[in-house]
């Protein structure tokens, strides 16, 4: 089986390229402080863990979100983009939360 030709046009994932550069720098003995995708080296503060546990214990906390989230969440993201990037988005037509997307 041969992969489709269009797959050859896909570029390497950004963080994979960045990681290769970091590995190269570290192999040269350089100290690299990573501020990219996040790799926590300390646990969250105890009050954060307690808040997460309290939230997880609530019976209404379990289940999947709607495929397009809530209107309030989409609106908040649209406002965030407007504030940070000056980009105006229609929260009902141009904002879609997707887990694990980049």
């Amino acid at each position: 089986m041969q992969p489709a030709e269009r797959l050859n046009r896909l570029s390497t994932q950004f963080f994979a390229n960045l990681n290769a550069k970091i590995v190269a720098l570290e192999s040269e003995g350089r100290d690299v402080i990573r501020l990219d995708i996040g790799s926590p080296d300390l646990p969250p503060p105890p009050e954060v863990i307690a808040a997460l546990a309290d939230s997880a214990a609530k019976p209404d906390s379990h289940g999947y979100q709607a495929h397009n989230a809530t209107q309030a969440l989409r609106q908040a993201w649209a406002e965030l983009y407007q504030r940070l990037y000056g980009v105006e988005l229609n929260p009902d037509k141009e904002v879609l939360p997707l887990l694990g997307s980049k």
Side-chain angles (χ1 to χ4, degrees), residues 4-17:
E5 178 62 31
R6 66 184 172 269
L7 292 177
N8 292 329
R9 294 189 300 264
L10 294 175
S11 62
T12 306
Q13 201 259 359
F14 172 81
F15 288 108
N17 286 334

Side-chain angles (χ1 to χ4, degrees), residues 23-57:
V23 168
L25 290 169
E26 289 175 335
S27 72
E28 296 171 2
R30 299 184 74 178
D31 186 25
V32 177
I33 298 173
R34 299 198 61 168
L35 301 174
D36 53 300
I37 58 176
S39 181
D41 59 352
L42 298 172
E47 58 272 15
V48 171
I49 293 173
L52 286 168
D54 290 344
S55 180

Side-chain angles (χ1 to χ4, degrees), residues 72-89:
L73 177 61
R74 294 190 314 274
Q75 181 66 42
W77 281 358
E79 290 170 6
L80 177 73
Y81 263 71
Q82 177 65 46
R83 189 171 64 250
L84 294 179
Y85 308 112
V87 174
E88 189 171 326
L89 297 172

